[in-house]
Amino acid sequence: MSTIEKIQEDVLVEEQVGINNEIVLYNDDVNTFDHVIDTLIRVCQHTSEQAEQCAILVHYKGKCTVKTGQYDELKPQCTQLLEAGLSAEIV
């Protein structure tokens, strides 16, 4: 007769908990793709590919998260997007 030994391990899982906010950009019928792309590159430091993908998502899905981070970091960027005539908010 053989013995099978079972070992139960407790694993501690650490999660990084941060309070991240998002800048959400919304679709409108006013701004051109070029303006949205140029503004995302200038304000959010997107690459041209990132900015183009966000513009396409906003156009077809109605909204897109364009930046995440701490509220204090996002506030000036969101303000610049709004001043450029884009529809955005921090959530």
Side-chain angles (χ1 to χ4, degrees):
M1 177 192 266
S2 64
T3 304
I4 300 175
E5 187 174 323
K6 293 185 178 181
I7 300 173
Q8 181 177 355
E9 291 184 35
D10 290 329
V11 178
L12 179 63
V13 178
E14 289 186 33
E15 290 185 28
Q16 184 177 6
V17 178
I19 302 174
N20 275 336
N21 297 94
E22 302 175 343
I23 296 177
V24 178
L25 183 66
Y26 295 98
N27 190 32
D28 61 39
D29 295 328
V30 178
N31 293 293
T32 65
F33 274 91
D34 287 337
H35 177 64
V36 173
I37 291 167
D38 292 342
T39 304
L40 289 174
I41 291 170
R42 179 176 51 81
V43 173
C44 297
Q45 293 78 45
H46 281 199
T47 64
S48 57
E49 292 83 11
Q50 284 177 306
E52 185 177 344
Q53 289 174 350
C54 286
I56 291 169
L57 285 170
V58 167
H59 180 72
Y60 287 106
K61 300 289 185 180
K63 65 181 179 177
C64 176
T65 298
V66 295
K67 197 76 171 179
T68 60
Q70 298 297 321
Y71 183 86
D72 293 341
E73 298 169 6
L74 298 180
K75 181 67 175 158
Q77 291 175 321
C78 189
T79 299
Q80 290 177 37
L81 293 174
L82 294 171
E83 288 172 351
L86 303 182
S87 299
E89 72 173 341
I90 299 175
V91 294

